[in-house]
Amino acid sequence: MGFAPGEPVEWRRARRTALVLGLLVVTTGAIDSDADRRDRERPPVEALGSLPCPADPFYFRSEVGYDDTTLAEAFRGRYAVYKDLGPDVLTVPIDWRADPYGDQDWRSSLHSLEWIDQLLAIHRGKAANIAGKPDRRRVLIRARRIVVDWIRQNPLRGRNVDRRAWVNKVAGERAGYIAYVLREARCEGLISDGDARLLLDSLLVHARFLDRDRTANNHGLFAAYGLALIGRELPFVGELDRLADRAVSRFERVLSDRIESDEGMWLEHSSTYQLLVLELVRKMARIADRPPLERLAERMDQAAAWFVTPAGSLVQFGDTYRSIPPPRIQAEAAVQDGLRAFADSGYAFVKDRSSRGYLGVTATYFSRTHKHADDLSFDLFDDGRRIVSDTGRFSKTGLQGFSRSAQAHSTLTVDGLDFGSTDRDPYGSGIIAAGVGDGWFAIRSRNPRLRVQGVEHERLFLYRPLDALIVLDSLAADREHRYERRIQLEPGIEVEPIEDALRLTAPGFAGTLSEASSAGPADVAVRRGEQNPTAGFLFPEFRQEVARSTVTFGSTAADAVLVMTIDLGGGAQTARPVDGRDDAVLLDHADRADQLLSVSGGGRSLEVEIAD
């Protein structure tokens, strides 16, 4: 098995113990029934006694920190099963088919058993501030009872078993909890031979189930990790030895197919999944002793930090909430500065530490997994304040359809159609080039998803912190179309029409939003928290909807150059097209002469120049 080179001596002893106890039996030539063979191949419970104690907590959530209230509630039997739902009172026997919130994510979390990590954290001494010092043995016994109850009520292919119970990702997560509870309860003498047999047999069922999985996304990684972890925790079982070897290879194969290795970017279109897969890669590197995975995890750390905004939370690209990343990612984010284009992955970022400015652009489409119609959407901070914000995810119910639509993002649409429903051909990365000059940052991008409507679209971002963000859209088509550009403003920013612009105000902030185009003046609409059709919402947390202003500029043309300007200095600065050029704008200042702002360059590099 892949773990053998660094295998602890205790594991080798466990293998020898298993041999002595008859795990590997040489047949005498008799023809055995399948049942006899399965019984003979069942690993002996006694072999668990030769494994090192205490068990290592390698299950997925083992490094999560909890506040005292969450642990105190769990100690009283009230668990945080999923996000802000609950807490949920769960006592054995548990109704494993319960669905109190009508939410499949809650059901998946229930069956993953990840919520018993709250008990295991108490057992590991992480609850020093709970009133009445918890009995560590008592909470481990409770975790064991929950695991036993789950196994007895949820057999594979059982008639009355919730279908979420045996989803590959869920089973992969659950396997680590079952293995840890078995190992640790055996170490402390808190499990009978009968229950140990039950858990051990269940782990074999999990291993064979996970070995059949061939999913080529993050679910496939969870399945492979869960299988590898079973093999790591039960090294004396010959069958698991072989299956775990295959699991490590499959993990690396799925990973290589879905990651831009040099850039360290996981290609599932969401900030959250960059971090989720990163943690999985780190854990697999540890249990499988894979230095290349450790080096990849370092690159993924650096890439993940660019998703961290000046507010300290993740930018809400794709299926993402405003989550706070782990401390090491925050530390990396705190020292990042300047321009970073992930040209092969489809993201580009600007961070300006001196002004606490931030621009994040998404232009990525590698599969349908967690993909929104958010191509060329963006997030903007200036002076530490969020001005434009992407929408994130509501949940897998309710408003999910809206949250994934083009109308929920700062995108350009053609003829009122949601290009997420008209185009299904991944194009890879839409980041063309990026560069800097004269204090301005430039990012050129494209959205090939509009080609199905006969439109070629490129978008140029020009950003100068504390000054302005200019968004130039160049469009080419054989006939006239209705082009609509949306800006999704952060809640709390008020919008007021003024002459030829919109005034944007919030406590401590004053700016303007204006547009100019080769197609003539656009019509303007501002919608906030509206239904039928849905518009003007943000989803910062699970199932949390917040009204915000969505500004739409509408124009009719075939070929066109459309320019939007967000003036961040409180002045009347506006950018205008220059003779149909897609590489320059004319800056119209209220208090000084006009200036030409242009970009040039080849390949993936741009140069920016400003001239009077």
Side-chain angles (χ1 to χ4, degrees):
M1 180 180 175
F3 310 140
E7 186 178 74
V9 65
E10 293 89 345
W11 295 1
R12 293 196 292 273
R13 290 173 183 159
R15 293 182 195 276
R16 290 197 295 271
T17 300
L19 285 168
V20 171
L21 291 167
L23 174 60
L24 303 178
V25 177
V26 178
T27 64
T28 61
I31 299 176
D32 300 319
S33 69
D34 289 343
D36 289 340
R37 188 176 299 113
R38 284 195 299 269
D39 286 342
R40 190 176 62 245
E41 291 174 353
R42 293 169 78 190
V45 169
E46 292 84 352
L48 290 166
S50 62
L51 296 178
C53 293
D56 290 323
F58 279 112
Y59 50 84
F60 190 68
R61 289 179 63 86
S62 59
E63 296 175 3
V64 176
Y66 297 100
D67 57 52
D68 293 338
T69 300
T70 298
L71 294 183
E73 288 282 88
F75 183 61
R76 290 192 287 269
R78 295 165 53 85
Y79 303 96
V81 173
Y82 187 73
K83 300 293 186 183
D84 294 331
L85 299 179
D88 300 292
V89 177
L90 298 170
T91 56
V92 173
I94 293 170
D95 178 6
W96 295 101
R97 291 185 58 81
D99 188 12
Y101 308 102
D103 191 273
Q104 80 171 40
D105 283 336
W106 184 90
R107 288 161 49 216
S108 293
S109 186
L110 177 73
H111 284 278
S112 75
L113 299 183
E114 64 178 3
W115 48 277
I116 72 170
D117 181 51
Q118 296 156 52
L119 292 177
L120 302 180
I122 298 172
H123 176 258
R124 296 196 306 274
K126 304 293 186 181
N129 295 324
I130 293 181
K133 188 175 180 180
D135 183 335
R136 294 177 62 255
R137 293 168 60 86
R138 177 181 164 192
V139 295
L140 184 58
I141 290 170
R142 195 194 307 172
R144 183 206 72 207
R145 287 173 176 165
I146 291 169
V147 169
V148 167
D149 186 60
W150 186 91
I151 293 171
R152 287 176 173 162
Q153 291 196 54
N154 294 280
L156 180 61
R157 291 183 288 275
R159 290 184 59 187
N160 295 315
V161 174
D162 190 313
R163 62 185 181 86
R164 302 305 299 174
W166 287 97
V167 169
N168 53 359
K169 177 179 180 289
V170 173
E173 290 176 307
R174 180 173 59 243
Y177 293 97
I178 296 174
Y180 178 80
V181 168
L182 171 62
R183 287 275 308 274
E184 190 64 7
R186 195 68 174 180
C187 283
E188 299 200 15
L190 298 177
I191 190 169
S192 67
D193 285 351
D195 281 351
R197 173 85 274 156
L198 182 72
L199 270 62
L200 196 51
D201 286 349
S202 179
L203 287 171
L204 288 174
V205 172
H206 277 77
R208 292 161 186 159
F209 171 79
L210 295 170
D211 184 56
R212 293 193 295 270
D213 184 74
R214 296 295 181 270
T215 310
N217 56 25
N218 72 82
H219 283 210
L221 295 182
F222 275 94
Y225 176 75
L227 177 53
L229 184 55
I230 295 172
R232 195 259 185 213
E233 293 285 47
L234 304 175
F236 55 86
V237 184
E239 177 187 0
L240 294 182
D241 224 18
R242 296 187 298 274
L243 297 187
D245 253 349
R246 282 211 299 259
V248 175
S249 297
R250 190 164 75 239
F251 183 97
E252 293 175 330
R253 186 167 59 254
V254 172
L255 188 64
S256 67
D257 288 344
R258 280 274 175 124
I259 199 164
E260 213 313 303
S261 179
D262 290 341
E263 294 181 346
M265 194 69 76
W266 177 248
L267 303 176
E268 285 191 351
H269 319 106
S270 298
S271 317
T272 286
Y273 283 87
Q274 172 74 12
L275 269 71
L276 193 68
V277 171
L278 164 59
E279 295 305 321
L280 210 54
V281 171
R282 283 191 169 277
K283 288 180 178 293
M284 182 62 96
R286 288 176 61 195
I287 70 167
D289 189 21
R290 288 291 202 267
L293 289 182
E294 293 178 359
R295 292 190 290 271
L296 174 60
E298 292 299 322
R299 296 194 296 277
M300 293 183 74
D301 265 5
Q302 295 167 13
W306 286 97
F307 290 108
V308 181
T309 70
S313 57
L314 295 178
V315 62
Q316 287 189 266
F317 289 156
D319 286 341
T320 300
Y321 303 115
R322 290 187 180 175
S323 306
I324 303 299
R328 72 173 189 282
I329 304 297
Q330 296 181 50
E332 177 70 28
V335 299
Q336 290 175 333
D337 196 35
L339 173 68
R340 179 66 165 97
F342 293 87
D344 291 323
S345 304
Y347 297 100
F349 302 92
V350 175
K351 287 187 177 183
D352 186 69
R353 283 194 290 166
S354 63
S355 68
R356 298 180 66 209
Y358 179 89
L359 173 65
V361 175
T362 179
T364 177
Y365 187 14
F366 288 87
S367 70
R368 298 291 293 173
T369 307
H370 299 292
K371 176 59 182 164
H372 291 206
D374 58 355
D375 308 74
L376 312 191
S377 191
F378 61 97
D379 241 66
L380 174 67
F381 277 73
D382 208 69
D383 197 21
R385 172 183 292 279
R386 187 183 270 111
I387 309 296
V388 178
S389 52
D390 217 354
T391 300
R393 167 187 176 185
F394 179 71
S395 76
K396 291 183 179 177
T397 58
L399 292 167
Q400 175 174 263
F402 167 72
S403 70
R404 290 192 167 190
S405 71
Q407 287 74 16
H409 303 282
S410 295
T411 56
L412 182 147
T413 57
V414 177
D415 298 330
L417 295 179
D418 175 9
F419 54 77
S421 63
T422 60
D423 177 75
R424 294 177 179 270
D425 296 325
Y427 57 78
S429 170
I431 299 297
I432 301 172
V436 63
D438 285 342
W440 287 84
F441 297 93
I443 299 167
R444 185 182 290 281
S445 55
R446 62 190 175 95
N447 181 12
R449 302 182 78 177
L450 296 181
R451 288 174 181 165
V452 70
Q453 295 179 258
V455 177
E456 293 288 334
H457 177 211
E458 288 191 4
R459 173 168 278 189
L460 176 65
F461 295 88
L462 296 164
Y463 174 45
R464 184 176 181 179
L466 299 180
D467 190 355
L469 171 68
I470 299 166
V471 181
L472 184 155
D473 290 297
S474 58
L475 299 132
D478 292 334
R479 63 177 182 84
E480 281 193 347
H481 293 277
R482 169 75 173 178
Y483 301 126
E484 291 185 335
R485 296 162 286 162
R486 290 175 179 79
I487 298 290
Q488 311 286 346
L489 294 170
E490 173 71 0
I493 293 183
E494 300 298 326
V495 182
E496 177 189 358
I498 57 175
E499 184 179 358
D500 297 327
L502 298 171
R503 178 180 288 123
L504 308 179
T505 57
F509 170 73
T512 58
L513 170 60
S514 60
E515 78 84 34
S517 76
S518 62
D523 53 76
V524 184
V526 181
R527 302 184 65 195
R528 178 183 178 87
E530 296 183 16
Q531 305 285 353
N532 299 319
T534 306
F537 286 104
L538 168 73
F539 310 117
E541 301 295 342
F542 176 70
R543 286 192 170 188
Q544 183 182 107
E545 56 184 276
V546 179
R548 50 93 165 270
S549 295
T550 296
V551 178
T552 303
F553 295 112
S555 304
T556 300
D559 297 347
V561 176
L562 314 177
V563 180
M564 296 182 292
T565 306
I566 301 178
D567 178 71
L568 301 166
Q573 180 172 243
T574 300
R576 293 184 279 115
V578 180
D579 299 326
R581 291 173 60 179
D582 65 358
D583 61 354
V585 294
L586 192 66
L587 294 180
D588 184 356
H589 299 285
D591 56 355
R592 59 184 188 275
D594 293 350
Q595 295 177 300
L596 181 69
L597 179 63
S598 62
V599 298
S600 60
R604 291 181 169 180
S605 297
L606 295 176
E607 295 181 3
V608 189
E609 183 178 9
I610 191 165
D612 295 329

